[in-house]
Amino acid sequence: HFRLESILLLLFAIDAGFLHLRFIPFLMLILVPLLAKLIAKWAPPYEPSVDHFAVNAVLIVMIAVVVVLFMPSRKKLEKAVSYSDPVKAIKYMDQHTIPGPTFNQYGWGGYLIYTPNYHRKVFIDGRADFYEYAGVLSDYLDMKAVKPDTLFLLRKYHIQSCLLYQDAPLRTMLAALRGWKEVYKDKVAAIYVRRQAQSSPQPSLHTQQQGHN
């Protein structure tokens, strides 16, 4: 029999897991032990005499060896990340005076949070429910889709720079506006700065033409 608190915790975990994907690991932590307890009722009793400890040890060692051999190196991981995340753009922002607040793409929020040399608050990240409650998510979606209120929303949040996907519709819009200037671009990202945001001269456009090494 399951205790009432275990059932209530499971129901809470199921609800959270269906609402937000990031709670799936939490759901698994609650669900797996309960399932194991349930299945154990139909499982045959454990008999230590039939256990093959030597075979189990060999299998564990083999699995460990395979994991070590196929574990990607740090260099390979960094190379893979550079194909989808703004690695070089962040390096440029760290070395130049880029005014904030900065608008960023939803898909890059988590990466920016955990990037040591990104010294500013993110506009949005993967925790969509928090931003939805505050109304930021709907505003982000409007700006992402370049809805008629996009310029108003950029002013509402005092956005002074934008870190955008290469193919972002917002990039196309900003490129056509005199009030914004592209100061950086590579194969992954582009940076736009509001012209009147800086009292010092605007940085010249920096283009990263080289491919990923």
Side-chain angles (χ1 to χ4, degrees):
H1 299 285
F2 295 112
R3 300 174 64 177
L4 177 60
E5 56 265 33
S6 297
I7 296 175
L8 293 176
L9 183 59
L10 176 61
L11 292 175
F12 170 76
I14 292 174
D15 179 64
F18 275 102
L19 287 176
H20 309 291
L21 290 177
R22 67 175 179 275
F23 284 113
I24 294 296
F26 172 69
L27 172 60
M28 292 299 101
L29 287 174
I30 305 300
L31 182 60
V32 170
L34 295 178
L35 284 177
K37 184 177 180 181
L38 184 64
I39 295 173
K41 295 180 179 181
W42 292 279
Y46 173 62
E47 297 181 18
S49 59
V50 299
D51 235 339
H52 302 285
F53 297 103
V55 175
N56 292 340
V58 171
L59 289 174
I60 292 173
V61 172
M62 290 177 60
I63 292 172
V65 170
V66 170
V67 169
V68 171
L69 290 177
F70 288 92
M71 180 72 70
S73 65
R74 182 180 182 85
K75 185 177 181 180
K76 288 183 177 180
L77 289 173
E78 290 177 348
K79 183 178 180 180
V81 169
S82 68
Y83 281 107
S84 58
D85 291 302
V87 177
K88 295 178 182 178
I90 298 306
K91 183 177 181 181
Y92 176 85
M93 295 179 74
D94 187 46
Q95 297 173 346
H96 297 77
T97 302
I98 303 297
T102 300
F103 174 89
N104 65 270
Q105 305 280 177
Y106 177 88
W108 286 342
Y111 173 78
L112 297 177
I113 289 175
Y114 292 102
T115 299
N117 57 338
Y118 188 75
H119 310 291
R120 58 187 71 202
K121 294 181 179 179
V122 298
F123 182 82
I124 195 169
D125 59 66
R127 298 168 294 182
D129 49 323
F130 297 134
Y131 294 96
E132 182 180 9
Y133 299 148
V136 176
L137 179 60
S138 61
D139 289 343
Y140 167 81
L141 293 175
D142 281 358
M143 286 187 278
K144 177 178 178 289
V146 192
K147 295 290 182 67
D149 59 347
T150 297
L151 292 179
F152 166 77
L153 292 173
L154 288 171
R155 291 192 297 269
K156 172 185 174 181
Y157 292 99
H158 308 289
I159 300 299
Q160 305 302 313
S161 57
C162 295
L163 177 62
L164 305 173
Y165 297 144
Q166 267 289 350
D167 58 350
L170 183 56
R171 183 191 176 198
T172 303
M173 188 195 79
L174 295 181
L177 298 176
R178 292 185 176 180
W180 289 84
K181 181 179 181 179
E182 183 181 80
V183 297
Y184 176 90
K185 66 178 179 179
D186 59 29
K187 293 183 177 181
V188 177
I191 301 172
Y192 279 79
V193 172
R194 192 184 292 273
R195 289 182 184 273
Q196 65 270 30
Q198 295 178 315
S199 56
S200 58
Q202 288 285 333
S204 58
L205 173 62
H206 178 89
T207 303
Q208 179 61 254
Q209 297 289 359
Q210 297 180 353
H212 300 284
N213 297 320

